[in-house]
Amino acid sequence: MTLPIKVPPIKCQGIKTKLAPFILSQIQWAEKDRSQWIEPFLGSGVVVFNLAPKRALLTDTNQHIIAFYRSIQDGRINRSMVSEFLHDQGDQLLKNGADYYYEVRDRFNQFASPLDFLFLNRACFNGLMRFNSKGGFNVPFCRKPQRFAQSYITKIANQVDWVANQMAGKDWEFRVATWQDTLTEARLGDFVYLDPPYIGRHTDYYNAWNQAEAENLAVLTKQLPCGFAVSMWLENQHRQNSHIQECWSDLDVRICQHFYHVGSRESLRGAIAEALLIKPGFSASLDTTPSRSPAKLHQ
Ligand SMILES: C[S@@+](CC[C@H](N)C(=O)[O-])C[C@H]1O[C@@H](n2cnc3c(N)ncnc32)[C@H](O)[C@@H]1O
């Protein structure tokens, strides 16, 4: 695999686009015939799409993310369909402005169409993916009616085509599941990449993450029979993440400085040091840098 990293069609809080080269370069996993890559917190899927393993179990509690990628996997959504849909919806957005955005939002909250999910994700404020306590998408419009210009539509359609190609012919399962259920499927030889929500940050219907759940994740992950790596913020300008010391000691720690730019408030954005905590025996040698190709991910 060569860098740079490519970008999937949907955005979410905590998306690892910028960190994916770092993450993939630090993990050393020998993929075997029956082994699989497991991602219990799939989100946008940027890590697995760039890795493109032969087998994968990709889960998230957010049913809309899973439905969207399943639609691409079974061909119900493809590049030309996305292009046509966004042209049509983009025209209506241009004519009717914010009212049209909210019409699509209501429609999505009633029928949950994957294409509407894509439209909202790419038209909403600041690329947020946020749901109210009843599971309704509630991100406001970004105030840019001319958002779906030809170049933007082409870019999104190409991103859809890229993820379709990355999963084509592969044994990948997309499933709505909690991380607990997903971890029970990990076997010797598999590799589990975990990117849980940040404790107390971006809390919503699909991201109700708290201290107890974070602690439980650490306990169960450390019992896995296979390799694993966990993404977690290490420190920002204000404080350090004490949860790492408390729950994730005795792992190989790799650190990357990162600028976190998706967030509803300025205070949620800024420079942050991100840690990748890797089970000993599954980390690449220390002189591996993100500017080089990921080491031995495929064998
Ligand atoms: C930080 S995001 C993952 C970002 C992803 N790595 C990326 O680069 O786009 C966390 C994801 O975990 C999902 N999630 C939250 N709570 C969960 C749970 N209890 N079980 C499984 N997934 C959960 C959220 O829906 C969200 O998509």
Side-chain angles (χ1 to χ4, degrees):
M1 194 181 93
T2 53
L3 302 178
I5 289 295
K6 286 201 170 187
V7 184
I10 52 173
K11 313 274 166 224
C12 66
Q13 287 85 307
I15 186 169
K16 293 294 178 290
T17 309
K18 293 228 170 94
L19 286 167
F22 160 73
I23 293 164
L24 293 175
S25 67
Q26 299 304 321
I27 294 170
Q28 182 148 332
W29 172 54
E31 184 181 14
K32 306 252 168 51
D33 272 356
R34 300 304 306 158
S35 61
Q36 63 179 346
W37 177 265
I38 301 179
E39 247 189 91
F41 302 95
L42 180 65
S44 71
V46 66
V47 175
V48 70
F49 287 126
N50 280 281
L51 177 63
K54 290 191 200 87
R55 296 185 73 221
L57 174 59
L58 307 169
T59 69
D60 200 292
T61 46
N62 187 326
Q63 68 200 45
H64 305 295
I65 292 176
I66 299 302
F68 178 73
Y69 284 133
R70 275 191 182 159
S71 303
I72 294 178
Q73 189 177 39
D74 63 22
R76 274 175 295 148
I77 288 183
N78 59 32
R79 180 212 292 255
S80 58
M81 207 176 287
V82 162
S83 179
E84 196 179 321
F85 178 79
L86 293 181
H87 268 120
D88 176 59
Q89 300 296 298
D91 283 352
Q92 300 203 49
L93 186 68
L94 191 57
K95 272 190 220 128
N96 303 307
D99 286 351
Y100 191 69
Y101 172 86
Y102 291 109
E103 194 180 315
V104 177
R105 199 174 77 169
D106 289 347
R107 185 172 77 195
F108 170 73
N109 285 332
Q110 207 180 342
F111 302 110
S113 146
L115 281 173
D116 282 343
F117 180 57
L118 177 65
F119 171 87
L120 292 170
N121 185 256
R122 302 308 294 261
C124 74
F125 176 75
N126 221 2
L128 285 172
M129 193 186 286
R130 194 187 61 204
F131 296 81
N132 64 25
S133 59
K134 292 186 179 135
F137 186 80
N138 68 355
V139 184
F141 183 47
C142 75
R143 299 181 196 289
K144 231 175 124 184
Q146 76 285 18
R147 187 160 195 83
F148 290 95
Q150 178 60 58
S151 58
Y152 191 54
I153 292 175
T154 302
K155 184 170 151 184
I156 298 169
N158 286 344
Q159 289 167 339
V160 167
D161 195 48
W162 174 65
V163 296
N165 286 329
Q166 293 302 88
M167 60 178 98
K170 309 265 172 55
D171 187 0
W172 289 11
E173 183 185 352
F174 293 94
R175 193 194 298 170
V176 178
T178 62
W179 62 267
Q180 290 95 327
D181 285 347
T182 303
L183 289 193
T184 63
E185 305 213 9
R187 303 281 175 268
L188 195 69
D190 293 346
F191 193 90
V192 180
Y193 169 65
L194 300 133
D195 186 15
Y198 289 176
I199 300 167
R201 193 171 178 175
H202 308 309
T203 296
D204 81 350
Y205 188 80
Y206 295 107
N207 281 295
W209 201 248
N210 58 34
Q211 192 70 31
E213 191 138 24
E215 286 169 10
N216 195 17
L217 176 71
V219 170
L220 295 183
T221 299
K222 287 199 252 175
Q223 294 170 6
L224 287 173
C226 60
F228 64 82
V230 191
S231 279
M232 206 151 277
W233 73 275
L234 181 70
E235 60 187 9
N236 60 23
Q237 62 269 48
H238 307 297
R239 60 194 180 102
Q240 288 205 324
N241 187 355
S242 56
H243 174 69
I244 293 184
Q245 283 293 332
E246 288 156 13
C247 297
W248 293 97
S249 53
D250 303 327
L251 300 174
D252 291 349
V253 181
R254 301 295 160 81
I255 298 166
C256 183
Q257 292 292 332
H258 172 56
F259 188 79
Y260 195 84
H261 61 98
V262 177
S264 53
R265 301 192 304 272
E266 187 62 37
S267 61
L268 291 178
R269 300 172 225 156
I272 197 164
E274 288 276 352
L276 188 68
L277 313 166
I278 311 171
K279 181 170 173 174
F282 293 88
S283 51
S285 62
L286 267 176
D287 64 356
T288 306
T289 65
S291 58
R292 290 169 50 182
S293 293
K296 295 187 187 163
L297 280 165
H298 295 282
Q299 286 189 344

